[in-house]
Amino acid sequence: YGCTFCDWGQATLSKIRQRPLDLIKQEIELFSELKIPSVFLADANFGILPRDIEIAKYMADAKQRTGFIKTVVYSTSKNNMNRNIEIGEIFYNSGLIQSYVFSLQHTDAEVLQVIDRVNLPTNKLKATTEIFLQKKIPTSVQMIIGNPGDTLAKWRRTLMELLEINIHEQIQILYFAMLPGAPASDPDYIKKYDIKTSKINYFPNLGSQRVLDMSESIITSTNTFTMDEWIEMSIFGRYLQAMHDLGLTKVLAIYLHNKNIKSFTNFYSDLYQQLQTNFPELFDSLRIALKTWITTDNSLLTWNPDQVKESIETENKLCFHFIKNKHKFYDSVLQSIKDVADNKIIDLFNWQQDIIIDLEYHPDKGVLYQSKYDWHTWYQNKNWRAKIELRKESSRYIDTIIRSE
């Protein structure tokens, strides 16, 4: 595999070098003995070789025996889906991963051709996510913003396609960094697509206190999108993460789409427009912050509308702002679905609000909610076209992960 954004060294497309299996197992044992909590596998495509299943099983066994390694991060092979599914199931069942991650970067055929990438066809991707759904293994995806050949319309469409193929745990949005050894850094490629870059800092300017240069050059304009369109692509991506990944509207959106009431595209487009109207200062300030970030030495982390911990990502700050203004936010949601809202949808809408952890939440008390239908069981079963049963009593939701400090 040799995508234009990748820089795995000068031997990217050469023969795979296999390290001795016994040495790999010794290293896993050493990591367990040293109580290393997390390991990042250096393989560019873990799962490309049949023996990778044996390595995955050995890591899972080591964790079961010793408690370590606790988590693993890895880059999956791109087209060996049967093997990837088996490895994903091994890692998930042993607690080494929280979700299976697809590395797609984009779904539009023209964009993929420009970045010299081949993904599985959409129908095969959906069949694979259905398998994970049946196994109740959450799925996430890595996407890149700033691909040459992309447009604002294509970007929004590709994000909706991810939801349509049942990727609902997390959409990781990465920037197209111009790595020195990657094909995208070739002068002819840059000229062909009229690539413009911005040098950005991920952390606030520390002046003389900065030990390492944490900046990098990312693509913010090409012959298919302007810098202002790149900003709009960024905002829509972070908005979708706040709504869907972080759960503000996820269950409602999944129900409406799978019952053929309102597609993901229509739901999130209508809601986006409604929020732009009801929260104009929030979005305008984010536009200014993004423009400042890619044109100056400032960090995007300085955008902080509610003065929360500065290092929190943009999508989390958006989510926090909407939770802080919960009634105004869900009034906006209701306005965006008023054309389809019957009694059952209103019941789900109320349940969706009730299960959100807000500023009044206490982990020892949980959240008491009432609904006419058993939305919790319906969502947990992941059979989203199934009938929703009537509920006979109220329930209490207690988050067992969040603890009071």
Side-chain angles (χ1 to χ4, degrees):
Y1 309 110
C3 308
T4 61
F5 51 82
C6 285
D7 181 5
W8 287 93
Q10 297 304 312
T12 298
L13 299 179
S14 63
K15 184 178 179 180
I16 296 173
R17 181 173 66 91
Q18 300 184 46
R19 300 176 68 245
L21 191 57
D22 288 342
L23 180 59
I24 293 174
K25 291 181 178 180
Q26 290 174 27
E27 290 177 345
I28 294 171
E29 292 295 339
L30 178 61
F31 294 154
S32 298
E33 182 181 338
L34 295 176
K35 294 182 169 51
I36 302 296
S38 183
V39 166
F40 187 103
L41 302 186
D43 302 60
N45 298 279
F46 188 71
I48 197 171
L49 300 173
R51 74 171 196 167
D52 291 341
I53 293 175
E54 183 178 351
I55 295 172
K57 289 179 177 178
Y58 199 86
M59 294 178 70
D61 177 70
K63 181 178 180 179
Q64 185 177 17
R65 287 185 286 105
T66 69
F68 292 89
I69 307 161
K70 289 187 177 297
T71 60
V72 62
V73 181
Y74 69 109
S75 298
T76 60
S77 63
K78 307 306 179 286
N79 297 312
N80 297 282
M81 290 318 301
N82 289 336
R83 197 176 299 145
N84 287 347
I85 291 169
E86 185 173 353
I87 291 173
E89 190 169 13
I90 292 168
F91 280 160
Y92 181 78
N93 290 339
S94 61
L96 284 165
I97 60 172
Q98 298 302 309
S99 68
Y100 178 85
V101 180
F102 291 91
S103 296
L104 299 183
Q105 320 317 339
H106 214 286
T107 62
D108 182 83
E110 293 178 352
V111 175
L112 292 172
Q113 184 176 12
V114 170
I115 63 174
D116 197 18
R117 183 179 182 85
V118 179
N119 287 336
L120 281 177
T122 301
N123 61 330
K124 290 188 177 180
L125 272 172
K126 187 168 185 178
T128 304
T129 59
E130 290 285 352
I131 292 173
F132 281 117
L133 200 64
Q134 293 168 9
K135 295 177 179 292
K136 293 184 170 54
I137 297 176
T139 51
S140 303
V141 64
Q142 291 176 336
M143 305 298 289
I144 289 180
I145 184 172
N147 287 297
D150 206 357
T151 67
L152 176 57
K154 286 181 177 180
W155 176 247
R156 290 179 62 156
R157 179 67 213 132
T158 205
L159 293 178
M160 293 301 103
E161 285 184 2
L162 301 177
L163 306 185
E164 290 168 6
I165 63 175
N166 287 317
I167 296 178
H168 296 297
E169 184 68 13
Q170 184 184 24
I171 300 174
Q172 301 174 24
I173 298 177
L174 311 173
Y175 300 105
F176 196 122
M178 294 291 277
L179 304 176
S185 292
D186 183 273
D188 291 338
Y189 189 86
I190 293 172
K191 182 179 180 179
K192 181 178 181 179
Y193 296 105
D194 192 21
I195 293 173
K196 302 291 190 302
T197 62
S198 298
K199 187 175 182 180
I200 52 94
N201 286 302
Y202 290 108
F203 301 99
N205 191 347
L206 301 175
S208 60
Q209 300 179 47
R210 175 170 287 167
V211 178
L212 299 174
D213 183 3
M214 300 298 291
S215 63
E216 67 179 0
S217 292
I218 63 172
I219 296 178
T220 50
S221 174
T222 70
N223 57 3
T224 57
F225 62 86
T226 65
M227 181 180 288
D228 286 339
E229 288 171 331
W230 181 92
I231 290 172
E232 294 304 316
M233 292 159 71
S234 298
I235 294 175
F236 188 82
R238 303 306 174 190
Y239 148 78
L240 185 63
Q241 288 175 310
M243 297 301 104
H244 208 80
D245 293 5
L246 299 176
L248 292 179
T249 57
K250 179 188 291 188
V251 184
L252 179 61
I254 289 174
Y255 175 80
L256 293 176
H257 179 84
N258 281 281
K259 295 299 182 179
N260 298 316
I261 297 171
K262 195 163 191 173
S263 68
F264 287 124
T265 297
N266 290 336
F267 175 80
Y268 279 117
S269 294
D270 290 351
L271 178 56
Y272 189 58
Q273 184 175 354
Q274 194 66 55
L275 293 175
Q276 298 272 341
T277 300
N278 293 354
F279 294 85
E281 297 87 359
L282 177 71
F283 288 97
D284 287 345
S285 68
L286 181 52
R287 287 186 180 91
I288 293 171
L290 281 164
K291 189 68 170 283
T292 302
W293 182 46
I294 60 178
T295 57
T296 71
D297 191 42
N298 284 355
S299 168
L300 183 58
L301 294 177
T302 58
W303 181 71
N304 203 357
D306 297 292
Q307 302 305 306
V308 295
K309 187 175 181 181
E310 195 173 67
S311 59
I312 293 176
E313 296 286 355
T314 303
E315 60 272 20
N316 296 88
K317 290 176 180 175
L318 281 172
C319 183
F320 182 84
H321 186 81
F322 292 133
I323 289 175
K324 186 178 179 181
N325 299 275
K326 185 176 180 180
H327 296 299
K328 182 180 178 181
F329 169 73
Y330 280 107
D331 282 345
S332 302
V333 176
L334 187 58
Q335 290 173 37
S336 72
I337 62 169
K338 61 183 179 182
D339 57 325
V340 297
D342 58 18
N343 290 336
K344 182 180 285 188
I345 292 173
I346 292 298
D347 189 58
L348 171 57
F349 168 77
N350 291 331
W351 181 83
Q352 174 77 86
Q353 289 184 78
D354 290 342
I355 65 170
I356 295 300
I357 295 175
D358 57 24
L359 300 182
E360 298 179 357
Y361 175 81
H362 193 285
D364 293 334
K365 296 180 180 178
V367 177
L368 179 67
Y369 62 84
Q370 293 180 324
S371 61
K372 296 178 181 178
Y373 294 88
D374 189 359
W375 299 109
H376 176 77
T377 301
W378 170 79
Y379 179 71
Q380 291 298 320
N381 285 342
K382 308 300 182 187
N383 182 12
W384 292 322
R385 295 189 184 277
K387 180 181 178 182
I388 297 91
E389 300 297 330
L390 282 169
R391 176 189 295 282
K392 296 183 179 180
E393 58 185 6
S394 60
S395 298
R396 183 175 297 275
Y397 166 74
I398 298 178
D399 190 304
T400 58
I401 299 176
I402 295 180
R403 303 288 184 184
S404 56
E405 298 182 36

